Amino acid sequence: MPAACGRRSSDPPSSANLKPVQGERDRIRDLDEPARSEAIARAAGALRDGRLVVFPTETVYGVAARADLSPGVDRLRGVMLQPEQPLALHASGPE
C-alpha cells in the first residue's frame, strides 16, 4: 500500500457504516413492491445527492456512486482499502 494512502490494507474502511447487516440481503429481496419501490427511490435520491449506496448482490455487497459526480466518487475512494485501484463503471446504455 503506498504511503500516500495513509492506511494499511488491514485497517478497516474509514466509514463504519459500510458493515453489512446479517440477513439484510434477504430482507431487501423479500420486500413487497411498494416498499421495494420506496427503497429504490431513496437509493436513487442518495446517488443524485452525491452520496454512496450499499446494495446486496448474489455474492457480495456493492457500493455505488454516480460516476459523473466527483463528491460521490471521492467518497467512494475514501472508503476503499486500496483507493488507487481502478473503479468499475456500470452503465445502462451508451449515452
Side-chain angles (χ1 to χ4, degrees):
M1 177 71 55
C5 177
R7 185 169 63 210
R8 294 183 312 271
S9 62
S10 60
D11 291 343
S14 60
S15 175
N17 294 333
L18 293 179
K19 293 180 181 175
V21 177
Q22 186 66 30
E24 188 70 19
R25 180 176 56 219
D26 295 328
R27 224 173 59 180
I28 292 169
R29 185 179 296 138
D30 294 338
L31 290 175
D32 61 14
E33 185 50 41
R36 181 183 293 241
S37 294
E38 195 266 331
I40 291 170
R42 287 179 52 209
L47 291 171
R48 279 191 299 274
D49 293 342
R51 293 181 284 150
L52 301 180
V53 173
V54 178
F55 59 95
T57 70
E58 289 299 317
T59 56
V60 297
Y61 280 83
V63 182
R66 291 246 330 238
D68 61 337
L69 296 177
S70 59
V73 175
D74 293 342
R75 285 186 180 104
L76 182 57
R77 290 227 180 260
V79 299
M80 291 175 65
L81 291 176
Q82 297 178 341
E84 71 281 354
Q85 294 293 314
L87 298 171
L89 176 64
H90 299 271
S92 62
E95 60 285 334

